[in-house]
Amino acid sequence: MTSPALPGTLSLTDFYAFMPRLPDGSLSLSSDQQQALEHDFALPLWVIAGPGTGKTHTLVWLVLKRLLVDGVPPQRLMLTTFTRKAATELRTRLIQARQAMVDAGLKAAEGIDLSQLMLGTLHELASEVLQRERYHETLRVRLLGDELTQQFFVRRSRNPLMDCDDLTFWQRFKFIKGADVFPPNKAKRAEYACKLFNRMTENSVDLSLLRSSGEPHLVVLADAYDAYLTNLHKGHRSDQGLLQRHFLDYLKSPAGQGWVDQGLTLLVDEYQDTNPIQEEIYFHLAGTRGDLTVVGDDDQSLYRFRGATVEALTSFDLACRHFLGRQPVPLYLTENRRSHPQIVDWVNAYIGGHPEMVDPVVRVRAPGKPLLVAKSGMTGTYPAVAAIAEGANPQAAQKVAALVAGLIQDGLVSDPSQIALLTFSTRETTHGVGPYVDAIRAQGLSVYNPRSRRAHVDARLLALVGAFSLILDPDYAEANLVAGLPRGVPKYIQDARAAFVQLIDGGLYPELESYVIDSRSAIAAATIDPANPFLKRKGGQQVILSMLLFKLLSQEPFASDLRDAEGGERIKALNLIMAEYEALFSDGRIKLASDPGGGSRVDGWTVYNFYSVFVEGIHDGLNDPEDSEMTLQPGAVNVMTIHQSKGLEFEVVIVLRPDKQPFVSDTHELEDQFHTFSAHPTKPTHRRSQEERAAEDAIRLFFVAYSRAKRLLVVAGQLHPKCAPSWDRVMGAAFGSGKISKRADLAGLGAHLL
């Protein structure tokens, strides 16, 4: 067969002919996936893709079909994803799929320049378009790239909420409990302020409506948000949410409408995690053509705490009618090619076994959603779904560790990384996953837990912080400054200083010790210029904090840590925090003051800011950064949050702490607080109660956890009628026989007891 010379002239029949085939000669597409490719896109396409049904596979071939058959220019096709990692995977698989077609003889595929695709997260694509189109509001604007940086900015710009001591204000939004007698500390105020501001942006909250409500707390909030916007504008900065607001404003402008009217094909991945402002952006991108495809699964919606709303997916048809005046075509991907049939049966029964997932008024799930169909081809009559239920977590942990060791020793998994321990929180406390990881390590096995929030107490990183403290603050800060530090930070600083002293006490690192002593001496001997009272080198160049960091990192043992994968990633995270701190606090310059005892010292407020913002940010729980290209650690049992496991799959999944119960959080409160004042055009007219939404969140969370498993799913934890909550919430009591509070109650659920 001869291939056409140009893209866009290939028939769908020929496209299929050049697609890779399965061993039996059939297409590597299910009938549902073929329907997606054969859609004519005169109407929007609404794809509900359950776990393991080949969502990414569908997107890859759909993109290539739109390019090669429909003739969409690559530079006019936009594919948005939820994370950078997902974007990287999609790009890689697109390149591989195109190459497979080239290898099969399709010359037209060689002419497709995939680098021209607009592929990435919405934040990345918004920034790219706004810069390329020279949108005035975002020219020369620096983005606050993460939550910690945003909190630094709120503190540095002295937002009014930083001085809000009104307990009832913080209680209103459920940031503190009604019984609390003290307002949040400065660090927490910054965290909560950012959460409030982000939700206001994402929900298009109307400040005039807030103020006209006459409620004092809402007026305070409106003024604080207004001050935040003003300070961002003055500082030529934007946060992630406001970047999207700028993008939406651009799309509504004549220039933006002209850009969209050139023709745009839009595909949106993970649509269940879309927030209100993103939904509006997507429909404006679709323009009058309405060439829009959304792909997602309402049962895997996990990011309400970041402002996502599952209604974007479950009510996509209503939004299409509002924005486009037309009805989308629904398509369900149901063939699960990941899991053992018993696991598929389990997740079907689980998600359908909760009355909370049905509501006569509100669409909790996508309408008409069918069950998953097992198509993995896995065979075997062994119990693929099992439970470890003990009277206390330490006993359950011993059984889990023995199971893990047995799977590895018997060769049932080829690498420990094929086993994942999933849980709500991976902090290694006695009441969390601590007993489980300790028991596995006691078996001589490695455990990788990048979300343990323990990186900040790593001995080497602690010593690095201690070196900084000893250089900038040899005698430890003045009592009145230290007393004002956030709770726990003074002890953390003392621990860091002690860690550095312990590091050099053995005499193994004389150059590091000399550098710290010499730096302290240089500060004490520095001459202060009243007009420019900052620490300078001999040549007159100002010394900044990152210079000290680089000098310290050039010394052993820190230099060797940079060559170690885990240590290097921790130091990289520290460096990123330092860069953002410098950008907001005097460019990292070190201000000097006269020492009452003679000579010079670092100014007290410079030291205080360094401790109260930079060090406090680390102390609050610096995570081991996750490599953008690799989430799993070969040779180690992977411990991760259920959120982190989204999009992954494992031969064996062990879900820990099924006694975890749903809880109403500030997230659910903020949804209710801002609902009345939101200007979002498709906001739901009716909201379920906070308790019902919290139950939905817990059910979906464990649905995601269970559906990661390929060959073996184990639920493990404490189950005791007197000592622990029952498991009915996370096991699906409705398809069992009542409340699950003892081992006998598990018998009717199809879980094999270990």
Side-chain angles (χ1 to χ4, degrees):
M1 180 184 296
T2 58
S3 59
L6 296 173
T9 60
L10 190 69
S11 70
L12 186 58
T13 300
D14 286 347
F15 180 81
Y16 284 151
F18 284 100
M19 281 186 63
R21 300 277 163 164
L22 296 174
D24 63 3
S26 63
L27 278 175
S28 62
L29 295 172
S30 68
S31 59
D32 297 331
Q33 291 170 323
Q34 284 185 244
Q35 285 185 48
L37 269 63
E38 293 166 9
H39 182 68
D40 66 8
F41 298 98
L43 295 174
L45 183 59
W46 183 15
V47 182
I48 312 297
T53 58
K55 172 177 64 69
T56 302
H57 187 70
T58 305
L59 280 170
V60 166
W61 290 108
L62 182 55
V63 167
L64 289 175
K65 183 263 182 180
R66 299 306 311 271
L67 298 175
L68 286 163
V69 178
D70 298 343
V72 175
Q75 64 272 20
R76 299 303 296 173
L77 190 149
M78 179 180 286
L79 172 55
T80 74
T81 64
F82 191 67
T83 64
R84 293 187 181 95
K85 180 184 172 186
T88 299
E89 181 186 1
L90 271 169
R91 191 177 296 279
T92 299
R93 290 178 61 172
L94 278 166
I95 293 171
Q96 292 171 341
R98 182 193 62 179
Q99 188 59 46
M101 300 190 90
V102 171
D103 293 342
L106 183 60
K107 298 296 183 183
E110 293 183 2
I112 298 295
D113 184 358
L114 294 177
S115 68
Q116 294 187 49
L117 290 176
M118 290 183 282
L119 195 166
T121 66
L122 183 58
H123 297 97
E124 291 172 329
L125 297 175
S127 179
E128 177 186 322
V129 172
L130 292 172
Q131 292 301 312
R132 187 176 65 237
E133 300 301 317
R134 308 293 294 170
Y135 184 57
H136 64 280
E137 288 291 339
T138 53
L139 291 178
R140 296 178 296 279
V141 169
R142 180 171 176 175
L143 187 66
L144 302 175
D146 57 29
E147 294 172 356
L148 189 58
T149 306
Q150 187 183 14
Q151 292 165 27
F152 282 179
F153 180 83
V154 166
R155 297 181 70 169
R156 182 69 182 89
S157 59
R158 304 190 69 171
N159 187 271
L161 289 187
M162 296 305 299
D163 297 320
C164 179
D165 294 323
D166 182 359
L167 279 174
T168 59
F169 176 88
W170 302 108
Q171 289 165 347
R172 175 183 185 134
F173 300 106
K174 293 194 175 177
F175 291 131
I176 60 175
K177 298 177 181 178
D180 288 339
V181 295
F182 296 106
N185 61 34
K186 295 291 185 183
K188 286 298 182 183
R189 291 186 200 188
E191 177 186 337
Y192 299 151
C194 290
K195 185 174 286 190
L196 286 165
F197 299 159
N198 291 340
R199 296 298 171 272
M200 292 171 74
T201 301
E202 291 160 355
N203 288 277
S204 301
V205 169
D206 188 324
L207 294 189
S208 63
L209 290 178
L210 278 182
R211 290 192 173 99
S212 64
S213 71
E215 297 184 48
H217 292 154
L218 297 183
V219 174
V220 167
L221 179 58
D223 291 343
Y225 182 65
D226 210 14
Y228 174 66
L229 297 181
T230 298
N231 287 326
L232 284 173
H233 182 75
K234 288 180 179 178
H236 302 286
R237 294 179 181 274
S238 175
D239 63 33
Q240 299 275 8
L242 283 170
L243 178 66
Q244 294 175 123
R245 167 55 59 190
H246 290 311
F247 191 37
L248 180 58
D249 290 342
Y250 166 72
L251 295 175
K252 290 180 176 180
S253 71
Q257 291 172 10
W259 180 75
V260 170
D261 288 344
Q262 296 174 34
L264 191 67
T265 292
L266 177 62
L267 296 92
V268 186
D269 188 19
E270 303 288 3
Y271 198 71
Q272 76 278 357
D273 294 320
T274 296
N275 65 41
I277 195 170
Q278 290 170 343
E279 179 192 58
E280 201 168 350
I281 287 171
Y282 290 138
F283 278 103
H284 278 83
L285 284 169
T288 56
R289 294 175 67 244
D291 191 349
L292 173 62
T293 298
V294 302
V295 183
D297 183 16
D298 47 291
D299 291 333
Q300 298 184 74
S301 179
L302 297 184
Y303 290 95
R304 188 191 299 273
F305 68 94
R306 290 185 181 172
T309 170
V310 71
E311 291 91 352
L313 183 68
T314 58
S315 299
F316 179 67
D317 55 336
L318 305 181
C320 283
R321 290 206 294 268
H322 173 84
F323 285 106
L324 304 176
R326 64 194 81 165
Q327 188 79 4
V329 174
L331 178 64
Y332 300 95
L333 302 185
T334 60
E335 294 187 2
N336 180 290
R337 300 183 180 185
R338 171 187 297 161
S339 304
H340 189 284
Q342 290 181 29
I343 297 175
V344 175
D345 290 344
W346 174 269
V347 296
N348 276 333
Y350 170 77
I351 197 66
H354 288 283
E356 296 91 342
M357 300 304 286
V358 179
D359 191 296
V361 178
V362 176
R363 287 186 187 174
V364 185
R365 301 182 71 201
K369 190 172 186 178
L371 296 175
L372 293 170
V373 179
K375 290 286 186 178
S376 68
M378 292 184 188
T379 58
T381 57
Y382 68 93
V385 179
I388 293 175
E390 298 296 322
N393 277 308
Q395 287 73 35
Q398 292 300 319
K399 277 199 171 184
V400 167
L403 173 65
V404 170
L407 290 168
I408 296 170
Q409 291 165 7
D410 295 342
L412 296 175
V413 294
S414 59
D415 189 273
S417 64
Q418 294 176 348
I419 302 174
L421 272 61
L422 306 184
T423 184
F424 184 80
S425 171
T426 57
R427 293 199 180 197
E428 295 181 15
T429 63
T430 55
H431 298 292
V433 300
Y436 294 90
V437 295
D438 289 345
I440 292 173
R441 288 172 178 143
Q443 292 278 354
L445 300 172
S446 296
V447 173
Y448 181 57
N449 186 7
R451 304 294 291 177
S452 65
R453 298 183 75 88
R454 299 288 294 172
H456 64 295
V457 293
D458 170 75
R460 200 80 89 214
L461 188 141
L462 200 59
L464 185 61
V465 174
F468 258 109
S469 176
L470 288 162
I471 290 172
L472 300 176
D473 184 21
D475 303 318
Y476 202 36
E478 301 167 31
N480 62 324
L481 290 181
V482 176
L485 292 175
R487 185 171 50 190
V489 175
K491 184 179 184 307
Y492 182 73
I493 296 168
Q494 292 171 339
D495 290 345
R497 294 163 74 100
F500 178 79
V501 171
Q502 184 177 1
L503 180 67
I504 63 173
D505 267 354
L508 296 177
Y509 308 110
E511 293 183 359
L512 174 62
E513 183 177 12
S514 296
Y515 175 72
V516 171
I517 292 172
D518 292 347
S519 298
R520 291 166 57 165
S521 299
I523 291 173
T527 301
I528 301 176
D529 177 1
N532 189 13
F534 296 97
L535 182 64
K536 304 178 187 65
R537 302 174 68 179
K538 289 182 179 179
Q541 180 186 11
Q542 288 187 348
V543 177
I544 59 176
L545 291 170
S546 56
M547 286 183 183
L548 295 182
L549 177 60
F550 297 148
K551 287 287 189 180
L552 287 168
L553 292 178
S554 69
Q555 310 289 335
E556 292 292 353
F558 304 128
S560 293
D561 288 341
L562 288 170
R563 295 188 290 272
D564 171 73
E566 190 170 304
E569 287 298 312
R570 288 173 174 174
I571 291 173
K572 182 169 72 174
L574 190 71
N575 187 37
L576 292 173
I577 295 173
M578 174 66 77
E580 296 297 345
Y581 175 79
E582 284 188 336
L584 293 169
F585 286 82
S586 302
D587 295 323
R589 295 177 297 174
I590 301 171
K591 188 176 182 181
L592 298 176
S594 297
D595 191 320
S600 301
R601 61 178 176 83
V602 177
D603 173 70
W605 282 110
T606 299
V607 173
Y608 178 77
N609 284 333
F610 178 76
Y611 284 157
S612 67
V613 181
F614 178 78
V615 175
E616 194 280 335
I618 298 168
H619 163 264
D620 195 43
L622 178 64
N623 282 319
D624 286 325
E626 299 167 47
D627 190 291
S628 60
E629 302 299 326
M630 183 183 70
T631 304
L632 308 182
Q633 184 74 19
V637 176
N638 286 273
V639 180
M640 59 184 69
T641 65
I642 298 172
H643 290 88
Q644 185 191 4
S645 74
K646 180 74 164 54
L648 302 175
E649 57 184 37
F650 304 90
E651 296 294 321
V652 178
V653 166
I654 303 174
V655 181
L656 303 180
R657 298 302 308 273
D659 54 328
K660 181 69 181 178
Q661 299 294 297
F663 62 92
V664 174
S665 69
D666 55 74
T667 296
H668 305 100
E669 180 67 27
L670 293 183
E671 284 184 330
D672 288 353
Q673 290 284 349
F674 293 145
H675 180 75
T676 303
F677 308 102
S678 171
H680 184 61
T682 61
K683 66 181 181 181
T685 55
H686 177 77
R687 299 199 69 85
R688 305 183 87 199
S689 71
Q690 293 184 15
E691 291 73 19
E692 287 171 321
R693 279 176 277 146
E696 289 177 41
D697 294 345
I699 292 164
R700 291 188 178 111
L701 186 73
F702 282 89
F703 177 82
V704 168
Y706 299 152
S707 59
R708 302 307 95 197
K710 295 172 67 175
R711 298 186 182 274
L712 178 62
L713 169 64
V714 181
V715 184
Q718 176 175 284
L719 181 65
H720 192 284
K722 295 182 179 179
C723 302
S726 68
W727 288 14
D728 51 296
R729 173 65 64 198
V730 299
M731 299 293 280
F735 73 91
S737 55
K739 198 172 185 64
I740 304 168
S741 58
K742 54 186 182 297
R743 284 170 59 89
D745 296 334
L746 295 170
L749 297 179
H752 177 73
L753 292 174
L754 296 177

